[in-house]
Amino acid sequence: GAVVSQHPSRVICKSGTSVKIECRSLDFQATTMFWYRQFPKQSLMLMATSNEGSKATYEQGVEKDKFLINHASLTLSTLTVTSAHPEDSSFYICSASPGQGRYNEQFFGPGTRLTVL
Amino acid sequence: AQSVTQLDSQVPVFEEAPVELRCNYSSSVSVYLFWYVQYPNQGLQLLLKYLSGSTLVESINGFEAEFNKSQTSFHLRKPSVHISDTAEYFCAVSVHTDKLIFGTGTRLQVFP
């Protein structure tokens, strides 16, 4: 149980285009979903937290107009990188939490590697 | 604010040797503690967690970690490592919320 998928696993795009990454919780309802960014050989940095049906909460320094997050249902959240540039190239990982109880474990997706040429 | 420090960026070790990956945290309130493992080009998998109760927690593949409140540490240990344990290991803390704060990671490299 508690499986989270991401699609696509790998994407290459041209500079200036937009890319959408999907995150799905396959066997549970995710009250909260998280988007992380990981640079090579570095830790995960939380970009934003999204709750179903409401606007995402972005971490300091993350451009909300650049990284559009939509959490339209309890099983799906999307991250759209708008007008992508080479510096947006990174490994993007989502996680999902069922949001029950005092401690809400996060279940992580396999990640999406974005390369912007 | 909370923070996590993993002092060792890389830990090379021979197969069947013991290993310890160090994790220290800073927090003025009680925390939940986690170790995650990341294999190449994959997402994170939860290895073990400390929420409350016994300070020694174990994973199904032989790893264990001990929560030491006085030293604010949560070191990860394994008495005998395998080649398949080669991966990146992340320590993380959470404070009664969903938000996880990760350390910078430790690359465990197991040699034959």
Side-chain angles (χ1 to χ4, degrees):
Chain A
V3 179
V4 177
S5 70
Q6 276 185 248
H7 179 79
S9 59
R10 200 178 277 270
V11 58
I12 300 173
C13 69
K14 292 182 179 180
S15 185
T17 61
S18 295
V19 175
K20 180 183 283 188
I21 302 170
E22 291 187 350
C23 176
R24 293 181 184 272
S25 58
L26 299 184
D27 50 4
F28 66 99
Q29 292 186 326
T31 304
T32 309
M33 285 187 169
F34 305 83
W35 287 95
Y36 295 85
R37 184 174 180 176
Q38 185 180 29
F39 290 103
K41 298 184 180 181
Q42 294 189 29
S43 186
L44 279 75
M45 300 300 295
L46 180 64
M47 299 175 64
T49 303
S50 72
N51 292 291
E52 185 265 339
S54 61
K55 289 185 178 180
T57 302
Y58 290 81
E59 295 298 302
Q60 191 173 8
V62 178
E63 300 176 60
K64 57 182 67 178
D65 294 331
K66 173 77 171 176
F67 299 99
L68 301 179
I69 292 172
N70 185 296
H71 192 164
S73 77
L74 285 172
T75 60
L76 173 65
S77 176
T78 60
L79 167 68
T80 302
V81 183
T82 62
S83 186
H85 288 95
E87 57 266 29
D88 298 325
S89 298
S90 192
F91 195 49
Y92 293 88
I93 301 175
C94 75
S95 71
S97 173
Q100 297 175 355
R102 189 178 187 189
Y103 158 62
N104 302 315
E105 181 171 348
Q106 292 184 36
F107 300 94
F108 286 82
T112 296
R113 184 162 301 284
L114 171 63
T115 303
V116 184
L117 303 177
Chain B
Q2 290 72 44
S3 66
V4 179
T5 302
Q6 292 181 250
L7 289 173
D8 306 306
S9 59
Q10 294 188 62
V11 173
V13 64
F14 286 108
E15 194 173 20
E16 298 184 4
V19 70
E20 178 180 82
L21 307 183
R22 296 181 292 170
C23 172
N24 288 89
Y25 69 93
S26 174
S27 177
S28 58
V29 297
S30 297
V31 297
Y32 300 134
L33 293 157
F34 309 83
W35 276 100
Y36 286 88
V37 59
Q38 184 180 34
Y39 297 102
N41 296 313
Q42 295 185 27
L44 272 68
Q45 300 173 30
L46 180 64
L47 193 58
L48 45 75
K49 63 190 177 190
Y50 169 77
L51 304 182
S52 65
S54 174
T55 57
L56 183 65
V57 290
E58 299 176 349
S59 72
I60 58 174
N61 56 354
F63 283 94
E64 64 178 30
E66 186 163 19
F67 168 54
N68 188 319
K69 189 174 181 179
S70 63
Q71 297 185 6
T72 61
S73 68
F74 191 55
H75 301 330
L76 182 69
R77 302 183 181 95
K78 189 170 185 179
S80 176
V81 295
H82 301 288
I83 296 287
S84 59
D85 292 325
T86 295
E88 191 85 20
Y89 291 80
F90 291 96
C91 182
V93 300
S94 178
V95 183
H96 304 315
T97 67
D98 295 326
K99 187 172 180 177
L100 282 169
I101 298 169
F102 287 90
T104 51
T106 297
R107 168 90 175 143
L108 174 63
Q109 181 74 50
V110 181
F111 295 94

